[in-house]
Each structure stands twice: as structure tokens, then as C-alpha cells.
């Protein structure tokens, strides 16, 4: 039986705190929810304001009895808490994470020697794939989130591409996701939470990434006639994340040496990013690696699979994959609760106009 960690103990804890988005802005009250090593900030109308990883936060000086945190090195954006339980939870989990980071640093110090050994063994062509997968399996979630941010930023920086609702790609780092897409993602569920962002770019209906980001293409909204089509696309991306499909694509494309460099540096070289984006886009259409997990999510959410199967067919997915998605439909002609009600669907449909 797995021992309870500080993270397990404080799941779903909530508290009211003061959030200042910029040095010259007024503080405002927000509700802080403690999640999977993250803090989610919601305003008093339940609208998401920010989604922070505890590992990326810095503690800054504050009044006695308060905990002040910032995601910025210069402390421009701050969150001030005085709730004792929430402060204890954050400090306990950050302490656990500090211990884990120390262990990872020790492991990374061994990587130069390990890399030499890996290169020698990698001369055996038959072992390159399994060794790369082994190295890839050691890469932590924070690194994969950083890779996703690198790739999403590269995609948004291509000619004609842009984020909907945001002026710059900086929102990719801070935003918890587009509100209506986030509502659909919460309905779909999944083992690892994603931040669905809406963007216009030349690429697949959804850019599925190896970490907490996914980019839903505005062309998907333009082609969709009902929210269940978008719910199906989000489920397919969530299934790929839960199954590690996009991480496997990155490892396969980088190979043994590139994956070892990623493990050591935590970054994908800029010159590699277009090639990796192209590989992820192809795999999204051609591969059903995450489909079993996605279909289970749709069945649990009581949502049909037929709408997304038709979208994937139009996108060029293999016929056998489309048929498998259709045959997994557990709704049929039965009534179901829509993925979004009409007002929210209209808002989402017009979000990139």
C-alpha cells in the first residue's frame, strides 16, 4: 500500500487569498484551490484567473503570519495568504518537492558519465530504441510541461498563427485554459490535467503535446456543429497524454542522444522544434495510440463518440481508426447531457472571430 504524502493529505483544500496581477494593480480577493502540486486561482464568480505549479513559485517577504508567493523572478505578480491550513499545505508540499529536486539533481550529476555509457551501448542499433525509452521514462512532468510550452510557443510564433483572447504567447505560461474548453476538459476528466488553449494556426484540429498544454485549432471550431465534437477532440488529446503517446513521439524523433540531452538540459533545442511539431501533427491524425484511454473517458462522461469520429475522418484519419471510434459509442440514440449548453457553445464558437 502506498504511503500517504503531503500532496495526498492536502488535495482539494481551498482558501480565500489576495491576488495582485501586477505591481501597479489593486489586490483582489480570489479563491485558491490546492490541486495536483498546483494552485488554481478563481475569482468570486468562479472564473479562472491563474494556474500555477508549486515548483515554479518563489516565496517573497511579507507581513508576519502571511505567506506571499510569486511566479515571477521579480515578484511582479503575487498571491498573499493568511489561512494557516493552506500555508501549512503549501510549505509541506514544497518541502517534499525540494527533497525530490535534490534527488533529481544528484541523478543529473551522474548523467555525464551515464551519457558516455549510453553512447557506447547505443552503438548497438537494436538497443537504441529501448534505451531511449528508458531515458525518456526518467524525464519528470515539470520537464515535459516545459517542453510543451516550448513547442506551443514555437507553433504560435509561425506566420499567421495567434492565440484567441490573448495578445501574446506569454499567456501560454500563465492561463489555466480557455473557460469553455476548460469546462469541457473537466467533464471529460483524465489522469493528468491539461490546459486547453484556443489558437489559430496551420496544423491539425488539435495540437496534442507531451505536458499540460493542448492547442485547440480555431479551424476545429469553424468545422464543428456541436460541442460534442470538441469534447471528443479534447478526449483524444487527454487520452494521448494519459497514455504517454506524445512523449513517445518526442523520444522517437530525438533518438537516444537527443533524449539524453533533453533529460540533462530540460529543453528542446530551437532548431528541433519544427521537426517535432510536424511529427506530433502527423501522429495525431495517423495513430490511435491514446484512443482506448480517450474512449473510456468519453464513456465515463456519457458523451457520444460518433461526432468526433466524423471529424477525424474528415481530417484524414485511417478508416480502421475511425471505425473503432464509432463502434465504441455507448450513447447511441439515448439522451445525454450536452458537453456545453447553448449559451456557452455560442461564446466558444465566436471566441476566435
Amino acid at each position: 500500500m502506498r504511503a500517504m504524502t503531503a500532496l495526498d493529505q492536502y488535495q482539494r483544500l481551498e482558501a480565500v487569498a489576495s491576488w495582485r496581477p501586477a505591481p501597479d494593480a489593486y489586490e483582489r480577493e480570489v479563491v485558491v484551490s490546492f490541486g495536483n502540486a498546483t494552485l488554481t486561482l478563481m475569482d468570486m464568480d468562479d472564473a479562472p484567473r491563474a494556474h500555477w505549479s508549486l515548483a515554479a513559485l518563489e516565496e517573497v517577504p511579507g507581513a508576519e503570519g502571511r505567506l506571499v508567493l510569486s511566479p515571477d523572478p521579480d515578484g511582479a505578480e503575487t498571491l498573499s495568504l493568511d489561512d494557516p491550513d493552506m500555508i501549512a499545505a503549501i510549505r509541506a508540499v514544497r518541502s517534499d518537492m525540494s527533497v525530490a529536486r535534490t534527488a533529481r539533481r544528484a541523478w543529473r550529476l551522474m548523467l555525464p558519465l551515464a551519457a558516455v555509457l549510453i553512447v557506447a551501448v547505443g552503438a548497438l542499433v537494436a538497443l537504441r530504441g529501448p534505451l531511449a525509452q528508458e531515458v525518456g521514462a526518467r524525464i519528470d512532468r515539470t520537464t515535459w510541461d516545459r517542453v510543451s510550452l516550448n513547442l506551443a510557443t514555437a507553433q504560435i510564433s509561425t506566420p499567421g498563427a495567434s492565440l484567441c483572447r490573448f495578445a501574446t504567447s506569454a499567456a501560454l505560461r500563465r492561463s489555466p485554459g480557455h473557460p469553455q474548453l476548460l469546462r469541457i476538459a473537466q467533464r471529460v476528466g483524465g489522469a493528468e490535467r491539461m490546459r486547453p488553449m484556443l489558437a489559430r494556426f496551420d496544423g491539425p484540429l488539435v495540437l496534442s503535446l507531451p505536458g499540460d498544454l493542448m492547442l485547440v485549432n480555431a479551424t476545429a471550431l469553424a468545422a464543428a456543429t456541436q460541442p460534442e465534437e470538441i469534447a471528443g477532440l479534447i478526449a483524444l488529446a487527454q487520452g494521448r497524454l494519459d497514455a504517454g503517446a506524445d512523449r513517445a513521439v518526442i523520444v522517437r524523433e530525438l533518438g537516444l542522444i537527443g533524449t539524453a540531452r533533453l533529460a540533462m538540459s530540460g529543453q528542446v533545442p530551437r532548431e528541433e522544434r519544427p521537426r517535432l511539431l510536424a511529427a506530433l501533427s502527423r501522429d495525431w491524425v495517423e495513430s490511435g495510440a491514446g484512443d482506448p484511454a480517450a474512449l473510456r473517458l468519453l464513456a465515463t462522461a456519457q458523451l457520444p463518440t460518433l461526432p468526433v469520429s466524423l471529424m477525424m475522418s474528415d481530417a484524414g484519419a485511417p478508416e480502421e481508426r475511425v471505425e473503432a471510434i464509432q463502434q465504441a459509442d455507448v450513447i447511441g440514440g439515448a439522451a445525454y447531457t450536452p458537453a456545453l449548453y447553448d449559451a456557452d457553445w455560442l461564446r466558444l464558437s465566436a471566441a476566435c472571430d
Side-chain angles (χ1 to χ4, degrees):
M1 184 176 181
R2 183 172 67 89
M4 177 175 284
T5 66
L7 185 57
D8 298 323
Q9 180 182 354
Y10 293 113
Q11 287 284 356
R12 294 182 293 277
L13 186 65
E14 290 188 346
V16 175
S18 297
W19 173 58
R20 188 190 66 184
D24 57 348
Y26 291 106
E27 287 192 346
R28 63 184 74 175
E29 282 196 337
V30 293
V31 175
V32 181
S33 299
F34 197 100
N36 184 16
T38 62
L39 295 179
T40 300
L41 280 57
M42 311 281 287
D43 65 21
M44 294 307 173
D45 294 323
D46 289 333
R49 290 298 179 184
H51 184 87
W52 295 343
S53 166
L54 283 175
L57 297 179
E58 296 291 336
E59 187 170 343
V60 298
E64 185 175 352
R66 300 188 72 88
L67 174 64
V68 182
L69 300 170
S70 175
D72 303 315
D74 58 358
E77 181 180 9
T78 60
L79 178 72
S80 179
L81 303 110
D82 62 2
D83 184 279
D85 291 336
M86 181 63 79
I87 292 174
I90 292 171
R91 284 184 169 153
V93 172
R94 280 168 61 83
S95 176
D96 283 359
M97 295 170 75
S98 177
V99 172
R101 281 197 298 269
T102 300
R104 285 197 297 271
R105 287 192 193 103
W107 179 76
R108 284 173 180 166
L109 288 173
M110 297 294 293
L111 274 175
L113 177 59
V116 173
L117 296 175
I118 288 172
V119 170
V121 176
L124 301 174
V125 176
L127 293 180
R128 285 184 179 175
L131 284 172
Q133 293 169 13
E134 178 64 25
V135 175
R138 293 175 177 269
I139 298 175
D140 60 24
R141 173 64 188 265
T142 300
T143 299
W144 285 122
D145 287 349
R146 191 181 302 119
V147 170
S148 294
L149 180 60
N150 291 160
L151 294 175
T153 301
Q155 182 67 74
I156 294 302
S157 301
T158 57
S162 63
L163 279 174
C164 302
R165 297 181 70 247
F166 297 103
T168 70
S169 61
L172 291 169
R173 182 172 63 85
R174 293 187 181 182
S175 174
H178 186 282
Q180 281 77 44
L181 293 179
L182 188 59
R183 191 165 300 155
I184 295 175
Q186 289 167 345
R187 168 81 178 272
V188 169
E192 298 189 53
R193 290 300 179 192
M194 299 187 81
R195 296 187 292 131
M197 303 290 289
L198 183 59
R200 188 179 301 280
F201 57 93
D202 183 15
L205 297 174
V206 170
L207 179 60
S208 180
L209 295 163
D212 66 345
L213 274 172
M214 77 167 89
L215 296 183
V216 177
N217 202 328
T219 58
L221 281 182
T225 59
Q226 55 181 306
E228 287 70 38
E229 292 168 295
I230 304 302
L233 293 175
I234 289 176
L236 291 179
Q238 182 71 58
R240 290 180 64 83
L241 178 64
D242 291 351
D246 294 311
R247 296 174 187 179
V249 172
I250 299 294
V251 169
R252 184 181 70 229
E253 291 296 316
L254 290 179
L256 178 59
I257 305 303
T259 303
R261 286 174 180 163
L262 172 59
M264 287 187 284
S265 68
Q267 298 281 349
V268 173
R270 290 183 182 275
E271 62 272 15
E272 294 282 4
R273 295 173 190 177
R275 181 169 66 88
L276 295 180
L277 286 169
L280 289 169
S281 298
R282 285 194 306 271
D283 206 71
W284 162 262
V285 175
E286 297 170 2
S287 170
D291 288 359
L295 296 174
R296 287 193 296 271
L297 292 174
L298 288 173
T300 301
Q302 286 292 290
L303 289 169
T305 65
L306 180 60
V308 73
S309 73
L310 298 178
M311 288 201 87
M312 293 305 294
S313 177
D314 291 342
E319 184 177 347
E320 59 273 17
R321 183 185 180 197
V322 173
E323 290 176 354
I325 295 174
Q326 290 176 348
Q327 291 168 5
D329 198 312
V330 297
I331 302 298
Y336 59 88
T337 302
L340 284 178
Y341 288 106
D342 290 347
D344 282 328
W345 174 236
L346 289 174
R347 290 190 193 96
L348 179 58
S349 300
C352 240
D353 290 348

